[in-house]
Amino acid sequence: MYVLDGIAYAGKQEPVIKVCGVRPLVGHKLWLRFTTGEAKVFDFTPLLKEPGFAPLANEHTFAGVYIDYGVTVWNDGDIDIAPEYLYEHAVTKGSS
């Protein structure tokens, strides 16, 4: 049990996952550091087929990634992706 803002919840409180470091890599991959302290690599290639991420197929645009309030964003915030999604679908650095 834990209490948040005066409300008691059952179970264990899950940590808030945010991105605190990002670096674009070759082949539309992102090196990411999360607030958990873990470093992972996310392959963005499969998502480039989605209309919302299509502009990131351009390597120059993809390389313009930055962090805004713990979220990876591009194009002045027009494109973003949830840190939780990145965390769950990325592979731990050093893993295959």
Side-chain angles (χ1 to χ4, degrees), residues 62-83:
F62 185 79
V65 65
Y66 64 98
I67 301 168
D68 191 14
Y69 294 100
V71 178
T72 52
V73 296
W74 294 263
N75 285 354
D76 294 326
D78 288 342
I79 302 171
D80 64 26
I81 187 165

Side-chain angles (χ1 to χ4, degrees), residues 1-3 8-14:
M1 182 175 91
Y2 63 98
V3 177
Y9 295 89
K12 179 180 159 191
Q13 184 175 9
E14 296 295 324

Side-chain angles (χ1 to χ4, degrees), residues 12-64:
K12 179 180 159 191
Q13 184 175 9
E14 296 295 324
V16 175
I17 302 290
K18 292 187 178 185
V19 175
C20 59
V22 65
R23 190 171 45 218
L25 303 173
V26 176
H28 289 95
K29 293 182 181 180
L30 293 175
W31 175 91
L32 301 153
R33 168 111 25 228
F34 295 93
T35 51
T36 62
E38 297 169 87
K40 296 185 175 193
V41 175
F42 179 80
D43 185 356
F44 219 96
T45 307
L47 295 179
L48 297 176
K49 298 173 190 167
E50 301 295 327
F53 295 120
L56 301 181
N58 177 295
E59 287 278 350
H60 181 74
T61 302
F62 185 79

